[in-house]
């Protein structure tokens, strides 16, 4: 059962990813990404990361993607297939594959027993549920938590600076 | 006053004279410069005489003194003092040098009067005398080298005295460089001596040498040969003689003082000075002797065919020095030095006379154009005749005794040394011939134009001044050959100087007449008495036999010359045609210049040109620009990769990631 | 669900609080018209406060906020350098067109944000903090680079920086994930302990983690071959921002580099040392040859920055106290030299039509000696000639390298320096040995000057106190610490001793 | 006192920056004179017998890095200091007599250069030495570049390019030397207290392996600076470009710093390597002698003749040092001073000639002796000294050098001595072709004025004085040199030392 | 299901995203690819957190989401700015800065 779910989700994720990079039209790419994100959410659930999964769906598939859609609608898109950089088309996949192989080797040849398992046997109930995460955020990861809020603020400011209506102030 | 004090004074005066004239060259009136110059040398001569007397006052064994002013350079195991060494030999030399110099200064006082460089001339001349005296009085090899180089420089300065004459400057350069080669020989010899004997001072060196070396041991031979390089370069012995004839570019008094009477005999002095070493290295000594012999013959042949008056005399100088070198090398020290003295007299005289004649010829030196000066210039021609007689060893003249003494010694030493006697006489014959060739070509006969003018108007001829060698017009504002010429017959200082020398040339030999007196020998005895060859003395009988032969040879020589150049004047031309190859060889000076040019000068210049054109450009600059190019090339690559495509940046980044990951994978345990 | 609130050492985090507060205030100032002009002043005030608080904390050595941060002299010194550069950036930004376009308040707020990120980064000892701090540092910079919206180059640089930068941080994140997986901890100490444990040491998972994380950091420090964004961004960004980035980013990156690799990855020393050494060598070569014959001064300084990063990386390679100290010293010296250089570039950019082309400084010696001297000193110092802080810095580094048995890298530094002379002295030559105006042979039309969207020219810029002042002071400091380096050396030694 | 010597020029230079244009020249001259006075004073209370450091100053400078500010005077550097002071007076005065553009800056840089050079000679701390050694380049770079003359014609190298070449080229060595110096200190400290004091390092000693490579790092720096054969690529262009007033001090002193470095640093610190590589360096030295001489007599540019001749001279000096014998080294030190004293006036004269004739090609000069007898006389003396005429101090120097070489390696000596003959040729050629021979038309042959006279005469007087009494230098130098060389030799023969390993 | 699988999967996604960045020209899509990579990281984090049995990884993942969001926002902002300046929305044509 779990295995089946995994494979389905994995396929979805991979498919979505491929879609993102393969689609000519950015709009479809965005849609592909949404698929991808949903499947990831499923995987998170499988990994007993309920809160993360939820956040994934809400924040990402929700908010962020909407943003994307708007921008796509605004600026439009589409691109030529012409490849001006010599060797790029040939090297890019090569590098990708090489990297993948290396990473896989690393994972498979790792001496860590745990990798071969489904994960730690005994995990306290409520592993990964909002409460647990919340506590961590407020205790151990208080600073990152606060910091990311500042980060959001800065990003917002940035967006205004870049995309906002220019009020020409003679400095 | 002590001997060494006298000696220091001898050195002092010429130096002072030179400096005063040099520094006061603007203030001093011309005549004053000449007077100072002459006077200072005269004083030096007086002091030399003083030294002689006080030396004679001592007992023969103690007749050598070393004295030094201050430590010149003493460090790191070397100890070089500013010191002189006075003994009969050096005093003897000093006397000749100062004596002859005084007369030549007197001569120049008149001869150079109208030369723009009058002061410069005397300053140089005095400096030369100082250097020469330093050379003969030096107390160690380093100082010897210093004097050696100084005379070299003085000679250079005086040869290129008329420094806008390219021929003169070139000749000066030639003389200087060849002399430097000689200096190098001496320096190396000094190093070797220091290595073996641990000192540069004459005293210790000559003391330790006999213990330090076995006869003909390699080192000592090497030392002597190196010394000979110096000696030959200075004394114009084969093959380092080529500068001497060119040196005739200098004013005639210079030729007469430096290139006849004094400097060129330094080699002879050197060999005599270091006889201790040469006796330990007979091989080297013999080499020297044979070189001397060769020189005297070769130079003689050249002198036979030269048409340039001064050069002819120059070659004769070479040949005479050949006699001396031969003499001192085979052990006839006093004889050699005796000849040195007499030669100084008559050769100086000859040059003076020649100078006077050349002046009368408006600086034309070609004997083919000369004739009839016997009537035009009585005094000069008499002086010339005296010189020629002495040179040709006419019986009872000075040359007669001195030359024969050398040959007699060679005979007395016997064995292979008889060669020297025999060929020496051959040389004597040649000498007589070329000496009187000059006499008969120049003095008698129908006066040439210049001579004629002199006879009629009493005026010295004036030609358009031009360089006889190149024919280019002279740059007269440097001086001679300028407007005025001076000839002995009209100029008392020249006359005075020449008459004294004429007297000495004729009768100077009487101080050493076999069986009658031997002042020279006995005076020099303290220097040479410990020599293993000291015991060799030709018997008076043998000497007189030798003298007889010598007399006959010289007479026949003169006779032959008379026959060739007076009775059958056309004959020489015939001979020339008959013996074409021989003649060409002689007239081209046995091709020595060409040989040196081919073997030394051209290669050096070729190397230089190669270094300049090829090596410097290719290798040296290549080293720089090559590196620079490489770096710049690398820069090009980097900038090409920086192509502005963000995606290719990403690519490179990921390539880097892959590479780094790979490295860590490999290094994982 | 029992919740135990973490103990908060307010003294320790006071600088961070100050910066954050200041950030907000400045941001607000943008909203209220009357305050709009005061943004720079407020920023300076904030920075001053933060600096003061940091200096107050000097000598402290404490964990903050449940080991999210560690406040020690290394962190403080680096933060101070960052703040110094930010402050000078504020000065250079006066009358900067970019400020006008972004809005003074936003511009300075973002600047402060970046500084905050650096301060956090310098103190981070926890992967999460580390990552967040890095982003807080970077994101404002992406924006700031693009703030001169009039100029295509600016936007281009912003986008390039964003794309490649995000790629870098993604890589970093992935590496962190592996490290976390390999060690089961996010805290540096925890990681170190885990790695030291038998069976984990040298495990591929960990090593890959190190590799990827290393890439992320190397990217921020613009180490070759992860350097390519540097020249483009440096050239495209508004010059004051470039001057800030050039030093501050490096400083922060190297600080965390040091902490991360020495504290967390110390046990894997043997593996990563040679790798970093090679990277350093590569950067030295690439940076130096790349800078040859560049017409744009900013670009040239960008490349030279790559080379300098290579030198500094040497201080990390040896992973010794001397190394750390030399690194800090070099950063401090680098701050002065760069500031002197950039201040002049800014001035010339504004008063000549040549933009940042080398042509802009031709004949400067006769025209504006007061600008020529700082630039000359800066160039000589960057080239590491004696009597400048640059020389002492190199000396310090080389000494550390030789002690750490990395003499070959020291030789690389020497060789690199030789090459660097070619382009540093080229600038000096342009100032002293060329008459003004005479076009440099083969000079391409200056990028900023030629393009129609040229910024307004202010012929008096070279006399403005806020440009000439920093230039002269920085130059003076460069020389001062070149002649009397002891104070700076002690400063560096304190910082270096924090980790060992 | 010693501090005064070092910093006086700098102080004067700084003040000079704020003086009116007209005054700066004289102010700078005054500064140089004061420095000279200090130097002379120091020389006077120098104890000849004592081989150790005198007037030494030693305070911690960068204690963190073990660098000390330590200066000192001994037999090795005493006369080089004097030489520096003398030549700078000459150079600055010469320049002061002429119009300079941007005079303040020019004289400031000149004086900075003097301080740097003096520092290099005085430094007793290895790093301080390196620092000054490198720093010297900065002022000279600007001096050459700003006041230098671009060369027209086909291969028209600009002053900029030439000087850049020079700086990079000479720094190649210097930077390696920096690494070498640090390595030497660190390795010999071996974890202990780190010091750069040359004396201390000498005490600690260094293992042979390290000596080998560090030796070459230093050698590179010094050989390039001299410059030695194959490493002289920067010389021709730089010499052509350099302003002559600067060239006077540059060629007179800077080359010596390299040679001095061998004596001060290499011999004491890397004795084994020195012995091991003796022949190699000697070969380089010989090559420099021969190549320099050959080039010198094929050149027609007056500057280059002088330039290449100094390559040859430096070759002699190096050879003398690497004879590794007391006499050789004594000669080398003496010769450094001599060469400085002759090459400087040569360039002054060259400058005068160039002003007169408007060309630097000897083929277009000549016959000047007639109207300018004094100039000719001075030039003659200088030329003779250059070719090491016996009776000149240069001869004594070369005599010592060659003797040392001769006793140590007879073959090398015999080859080296041919350089003497060649030097005779090119020196005289230079003199003749300018002073003698036909005077080309339109060549302004004037006597030197008083102004150049006062620059030239003192230098020539120094030459003459030394010619009469070289012992003046020798007996002050000898003790220290003796000590230095003895350290290398360490009593036993080189082969024995090599056998140990 | 073994953790290895998740990791390998995430690696695959990571590389896919990387390749995407390399081959796509539209900055928009490139941003999406960045998202892919970050998410790959997230997947790894969560998987590992499951493996080692502590939730720090999950927290990290959440923080990453925030970061990702911020990058997107800024990125899109840049796109808009480019669009406003009538600049091509094609990274290949933005290469004024090079060399």
């Amino acid at each position: 059962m779990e295995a089946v779910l995994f494979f389905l989700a994995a396929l979805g994720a991979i498919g979505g990813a491929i879609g993102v990079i393969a689609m000519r039209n950015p709009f479809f790419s965005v849609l592909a990404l949404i698929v991808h994100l949903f499947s990831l959410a499923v995987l998170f659930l499988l990994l007993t990361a309920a809160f993360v999964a939820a956040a994934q769906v809400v924040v990402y598939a929700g908010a962020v993607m909407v943003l994307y859609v708007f921008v796509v609608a605004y600026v439009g898109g589409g691109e030529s297939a012409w490849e001006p950089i010599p060797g790029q088309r040939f090297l890019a996949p090569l590098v990708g594959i090489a990297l993948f192989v290396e990473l896989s080797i690393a994972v498979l040849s790792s001496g860590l027993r745990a990798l071969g398992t489904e994960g730690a046997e005994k995990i306290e109930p409520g592993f990964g549920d909002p409460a647990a995460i919340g506590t961590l955020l407020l205790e151990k990861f208080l600073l990152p938590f606060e910091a990311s809020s500042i980060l959001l603020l800065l990003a917002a400011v940035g967006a205004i600076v870049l995309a906002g209506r220019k009020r020409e102030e003679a400095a | 006053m002590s001997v060494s004090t006298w000696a220091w004074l001898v050195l002092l005066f010429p130096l002072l004279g030179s400096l005063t004239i040099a520094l006061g060259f603007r203030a001093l009136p011309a005549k004053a410069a000449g007077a100072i110059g002459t006077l200072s040398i005269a004083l030096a001569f007086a002091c030399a005489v003083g030294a002689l007397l006080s030396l004679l006052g001592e007992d023969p064994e103690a007749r050598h003194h070393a004295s030094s002013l201050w430590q010149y350079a003493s460090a790191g195991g070397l100890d070089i003092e500013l010191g002189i060494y006075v003994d009969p030999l050096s005093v003897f030399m000093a006397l000749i040098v100062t004596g002859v110099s005084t007369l030549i200064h007197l001569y120049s006082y008149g001869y150079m009067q109208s030369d723009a460089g009058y002061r410069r001339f005397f300053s140089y001349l005095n400096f030369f005398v100082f250097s020469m005296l330093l050379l003969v009085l030096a107390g160690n090899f380093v100082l010897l080298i210093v004097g050696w180089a100084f005379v070299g420089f003085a000679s250079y300065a005086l040869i290129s005295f008329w420094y806008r004459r390219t021929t003169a400057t070139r000749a000066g350069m030639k003389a200087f460089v060849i002399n430097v080669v000689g200096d190098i020989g001496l320096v190396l010899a000094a190093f070797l001596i220091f290595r073996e004997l641990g000192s540069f001072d004459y005293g210790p060196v000559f003391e330790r040498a006999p213990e330090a070396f076995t006869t003909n041991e390699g080192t000592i031979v090497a030392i002597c040969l190196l010394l000979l390089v110096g000696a030959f370069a200075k004394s114009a012995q084969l093959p380092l003689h080529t500068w001497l004839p060119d040196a005739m570019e200098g004013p005639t008094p210079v030729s007469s003082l430096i290139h006849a009477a004094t400097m060129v005999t330094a080699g002879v002095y050197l060999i005599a000075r270091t006889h201790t070493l040469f006796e330990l290295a007979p091989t080297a000594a013999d080499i020297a002797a044979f070189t001397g012999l060769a020189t005297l013959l070769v130079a003689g042949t050249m002198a036979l065919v030269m048409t340039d008056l001064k050069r002819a005399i120059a070659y004769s100088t070479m040949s005479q020095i050949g006699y001396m070198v031969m003499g001192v090398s085979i052990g006839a020290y006093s004889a050699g030095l005796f000849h040195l003295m007499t030669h100084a007299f008559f050769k100086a005289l000859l040059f003076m006379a020649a100078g006077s004649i050349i002046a009368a010829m408006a600086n034309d030196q070609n004997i083919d154009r000369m004739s009839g000066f016997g009537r035009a210039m009585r005094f000069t021609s008499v002086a010339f005749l005296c010189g020629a007689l002495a040179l040709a060893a006419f019986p009872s003249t000075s040359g007669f005794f001195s030359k024969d003494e050398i040959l007699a010694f060679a005979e007395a030493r016997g064995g292979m040394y008889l060669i020297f006697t025999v060929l020496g006489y051959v040389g004597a014959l040649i000498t007589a011939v070329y000496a009187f060739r000059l006499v008969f070509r120049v003095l008698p006969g129908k006066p040439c134009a210049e001579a004629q003018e002199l006879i009629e108007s009493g005026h010295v001829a004036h030609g358009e001044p031009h360089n006889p060698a190149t024919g280019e017009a002279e740059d007269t504002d440097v001086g001679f050959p300028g407007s005025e010429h001076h000839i002995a017959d009209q100029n008392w200082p020249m006359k005075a100087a020449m008459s004294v020398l004429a007297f000495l040339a004729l009768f100077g030999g009487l101080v050493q007449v076999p069986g009658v007196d031997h002042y020279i020998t006995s005076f020099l005895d303290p220097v040479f008495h410990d020599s293993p060859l000291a015991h060799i003395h030709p018997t008076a009988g043998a000497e007189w036999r030798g003298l007889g032969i010598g007399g006959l040879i010289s007479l026949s020589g003169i006779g032959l010359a008379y026959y060739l150049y007076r009775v059958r004047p056309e004959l020489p031309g015939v001979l020339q045609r008959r013996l074409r190859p021989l003649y060409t060889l002689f007239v081209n000076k046995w091709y020595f210049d060409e040989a040196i040019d081919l073997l030394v000068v051209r290669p050096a210049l070729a190397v230089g040109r190669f270094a300049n054109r090829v090596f410097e450009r290719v290798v040296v600059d290549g080293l720089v620009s090559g590196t620079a190019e490489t770096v710049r090339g690398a820069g090009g690559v980097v900038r090409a990769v920086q192509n502005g495509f963000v995606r290719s940046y990403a690519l490179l980044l990921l390539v880097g990631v892959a590479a780094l990951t790979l490295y860590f994978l490999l290094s994982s345990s | 669900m029992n919740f135990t609130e973490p103990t908060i050492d307010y003294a320790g985090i006071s600088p961070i609080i100050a910066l954050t507060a200041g950030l907000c205030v400045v941001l607000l100032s943008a909203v209220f018209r009357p305050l709009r002009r005061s943004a720079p002043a407020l920023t300076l005030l904030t920075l001053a406060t933060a600096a003061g608080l940091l200096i107050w904390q000097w000598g402290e050595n404490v964990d903050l906020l449940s080991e999210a941060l560690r406040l020690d002299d290394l962190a403080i010194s680096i933060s101070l350098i960052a703040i110094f550069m930010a402050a000078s950036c504020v000065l250079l930004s006066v009358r900067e067109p970019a400020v006008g376009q972004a809005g003074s308040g936003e511009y300075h707020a973002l600047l402060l944000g970046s500084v905050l990120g650096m301060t956090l980064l310098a103190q981070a000892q926890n992967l999460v903090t580390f990552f967040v701090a890095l982003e807080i540092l970077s994101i404002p910079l992406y924006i700031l680079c693009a703030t001169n919206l009039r100029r295509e180059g600016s936007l281009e640089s912003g986008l390039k920086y964003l794309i490649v930068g995000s790629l870098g941080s993604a890589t970093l994140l992935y590496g962190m994930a592996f490290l976390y997986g390999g060690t089961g901890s996010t805290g540096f100490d925890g990681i170190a302990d885990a790695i030291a444990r038998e069976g984990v040491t040298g495990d591929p998972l960990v090593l890959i983690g190190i590799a990827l994380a290393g890439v992320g950091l190397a990217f921020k420090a613009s180490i070759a071959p992860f350097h390519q964004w540097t020249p483009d961004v440096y050239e495209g960004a508004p010059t004051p921002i470039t001057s800030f980035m050039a030093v501050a980013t490096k400083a922060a990156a190297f600080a965390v580099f040091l902490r991360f690799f020495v504290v967390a990855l110390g046990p894997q020393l043997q593996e990563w040392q040679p790798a970093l050494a090679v990277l350093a060598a590569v950067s030295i070569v690439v940076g130096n040859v790349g800078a040859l014959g560049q017409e744009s001064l900013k670009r040239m300084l960008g490349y030279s920055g790559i080379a300098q990063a290579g030198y500094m990386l040497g201080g990390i390679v040896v992973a010794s106290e001397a190394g750390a100290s030399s690194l800090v010293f070099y950063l401090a010296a680098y701050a002065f030299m760069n500031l002197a250089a950039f201040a002049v570039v800014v001035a010339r950019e504004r008063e000549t039509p040549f933009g940042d082309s080398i042509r802009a400084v031709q004949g400067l010696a006769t025209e504006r000696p007061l600008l020529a001297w700082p630039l000359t000193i800066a160039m000589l110092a960057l080239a590491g000639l004696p009597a400048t802080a640059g020389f002492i810095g190199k000396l310090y580094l080389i000494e550390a390298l030789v002690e750490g048995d990395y003499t070959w890298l020291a030789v690389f530094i020497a060789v690199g320096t030789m090459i660097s002379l070619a382009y540093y002295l080229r600038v000096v030559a342009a100032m002293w040995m060329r008459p003004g105006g005479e076009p440099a042979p083969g000079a391409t039309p200056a990028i900023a000057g030629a393009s129609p969207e040229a910024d307004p020219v202010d012929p008096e810029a070279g006399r403005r106190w806020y440009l000439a002042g920093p230039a002269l002071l920085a130059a003076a400091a460069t020389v001062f610490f070149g002649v009397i380096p002891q104070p700076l050396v002690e400063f560096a030694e304190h910082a270096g001793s924090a980790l060992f | 006192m010693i501090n005064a010597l070092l910093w006086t020029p700098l102080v004067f230079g700084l003040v000079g920056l704020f003086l009116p244009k007209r005054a700066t020249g004289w102010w700078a001259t005054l500064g140089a004179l004061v420095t000279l006075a200090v130097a002379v004073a120091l020389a006077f209370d120098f104890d000849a017998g004592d081989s150790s450091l005198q007037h030494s100053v030693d305070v911690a400078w960068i204690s963190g890095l073990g660098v000390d500010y330590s200066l000192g005077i001994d037999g090795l550097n005493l006369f080089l200091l004097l030489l520096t002071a003398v030549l700078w007076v000459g150079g600055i005065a010469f320049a002061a007599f002429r119009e300079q553009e941007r005079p303040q800056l020019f004289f400031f840089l000149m004086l900075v250069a003097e301080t740097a050079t003096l520092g290099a000679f005085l430094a007793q701390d290895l790093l301080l030495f390196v620092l000054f050694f490198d720093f010297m380049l900065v002022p000279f770079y600007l001096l050459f570049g700003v006041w230098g003359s671009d060369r027209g014609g086909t291969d028209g190298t600009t002053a900029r390019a030439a000087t850049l070449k020079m700086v990079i080229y000479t720094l190649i060595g210097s930077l390696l030397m920096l690494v070498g110096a640090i390595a030497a200190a660190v390795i010999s400290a071996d974890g202990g207290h780190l010091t750069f004091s040359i004396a201390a390092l000498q005490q600690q000693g260094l293992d042979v392996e390290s000596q080998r490579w560090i030796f070459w790092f230093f050698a590179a720096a010094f050989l390039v600076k001299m410059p030695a054969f194959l490493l002289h690529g920067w010389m021709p262009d730089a010499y052509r470009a350099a302003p002559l007033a600067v060239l006077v001090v540059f060629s007179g002193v800077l080359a010596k710093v390299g040679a001095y470095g061998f004596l001060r640093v290499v011999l004491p610190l890397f004795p084994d390597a020195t012995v091991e590589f003796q022949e190699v360096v000697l070969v380089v030295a010989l090559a420099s002698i021969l190549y320099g001489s050959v080039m010198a007599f094929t050149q027609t540019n007056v500057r280059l003749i002088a330039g290449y001749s100094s390559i040859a001279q430096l070759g002699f000096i190096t050879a003398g040092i690497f004879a590794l014998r007391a006499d050789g080294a004594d000669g080398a030190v003496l010769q450094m001073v001599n060469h400085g004293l002759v090459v400087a006036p040569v360039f002054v004269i060259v400058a005068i000639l160039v002003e007169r004739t408007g060309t630097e090609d000897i083929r277009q000069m000549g016959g000047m002796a007639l109207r300018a007898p004094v100039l000719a006389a001075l030039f003659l003396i200088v030329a003779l000294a250059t070719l090491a005429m016996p009776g000149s101090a240069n001869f004594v120097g070369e005599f010592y050098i060659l003797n040392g070489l001769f006793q140590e390696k007879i073959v090398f000596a015999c080859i080296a001595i041919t350089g003497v003959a060649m030097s005779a040729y090119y020196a005289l050629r230079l003199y003749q072709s300018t002073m003698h021979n036909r005077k080309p038309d339109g060549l302004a042959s004037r006597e030197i004025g008083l102004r150049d006279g006062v620059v030239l005469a003192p230098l020539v007087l120094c030459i003459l004085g030394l010619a009469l009494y070289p012992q003046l230098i020798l007996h002050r130098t000898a003790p220290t040199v003796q000590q230095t060389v003895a350290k290398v030799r360490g009593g036993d023969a080189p082969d024995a030392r090599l056998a140990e390993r | 299901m073994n953790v290895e699988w998740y990791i390998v999967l995430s690696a695959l996604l990571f590389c896919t995203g990387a390749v995407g960045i390399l081959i796509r020209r539209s900055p928009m899509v490139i941003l999406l690819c960045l998202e892919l990579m970050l998410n790959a990281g997230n997947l790894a984090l969560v998987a590992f957190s499951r493996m080692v049995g502590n939730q720090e990884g999950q927290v990290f993942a959440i923080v990453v989401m925030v970061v990702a969001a911020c990058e997107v926002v800024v990125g899109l902002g840049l796109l808009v700015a480019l669009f406003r300046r009538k600049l091509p929305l094609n990274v290949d044509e933005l290469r004024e800065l090079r060399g």
Side-chain angles (χ1 to χ4, degrees), chain A residues 160-162 164-171, chain C residues 96-104 106-107 146-151 154 453 455-456, chain E residues 85:
Chain A
I160 296 165
V161 168
L162 293 169
R165 284 255 153 275
K166 285 287 147 299
R167 43 196 178 355
E168 282 306 331
E169 114 185 6
Chain C
E96 171 69 26
V99 179
Q101 320 219 359
S104 182
E106 293 83 341
Y107 180 92
T147 41
N148 192 348
L149 299 158
R150 274 224 216 78
R151 288 180 41 204
S154 180
E453 68 265 337
D455 299 318
Chain E
R85 286 271 305 25

Side-chain angles (χ1 to χ4, degrees), chain C residues 127-128 131-132 135 139 142-143 146 149-153 155-160 162-163 166-167 169-171 173-174 176-178 180-187 205 232-233 235-236 294 299 303 447 453, chain E residues 7 10-12 14 18 21 27 30-31 34 37-38 40-42 44-45 48-49 51-52 54-60 63-64 67 70-71 74-75 78-79 81-82 85 87 91 93-99:
Chain C
L127 293 180
V128 185
F131 188 67
V132 177
E135 289 302 320
I139 287 182
Y142 301 154
I143 303 158
L149 299 158
R150 274 224 216 78
R151 288 180 41 204
E152 185 182 338
L155 280 171
E156 179 186 340
S157 69
L159 189 62
K160 279 182 173 172
L162 174 81
I163 292 172
S166 310
L167 181 56
S169 21
T171 323
L173 171 68
Y174 210 68
M176 287 176 169
F178 271 47
Y180 168 68
T183 60
S185 158
T186 54
L205 216 52
D232 292 6
V233 172
E235 185 181 352
Q294 293 288 359
R299 204 171 182 77
Y303 275 109
I447 286 146
E453 68 265 337
Chain E
I7 308 302
S10 82
L12 182 55
F14 184 81
I21 293 176
I30 289 180
L31 285 175
L34 288 170
M37 295 180 78
L38 288 173
N42 270 355
L45 277 171
F48 280 128
S49 91
M51 167 179 126
V52 297
N54 70 34
Q55 301 159 22
E56 299 183 2
Q58 301 191 5
V59 176
F60 201 159
V63 173
V64 172
V67 170
C70 297
E71 281 182 357
V74 174
L78 269 168
L79 287 191
L82 283 168
R85 286 271 305 25
L87 290 173
V91 290
E93 292 173 32
L94 287 171
R95 52 189 297 249
E96 184 187 77
L97 306 167
R98 60 163 180 256

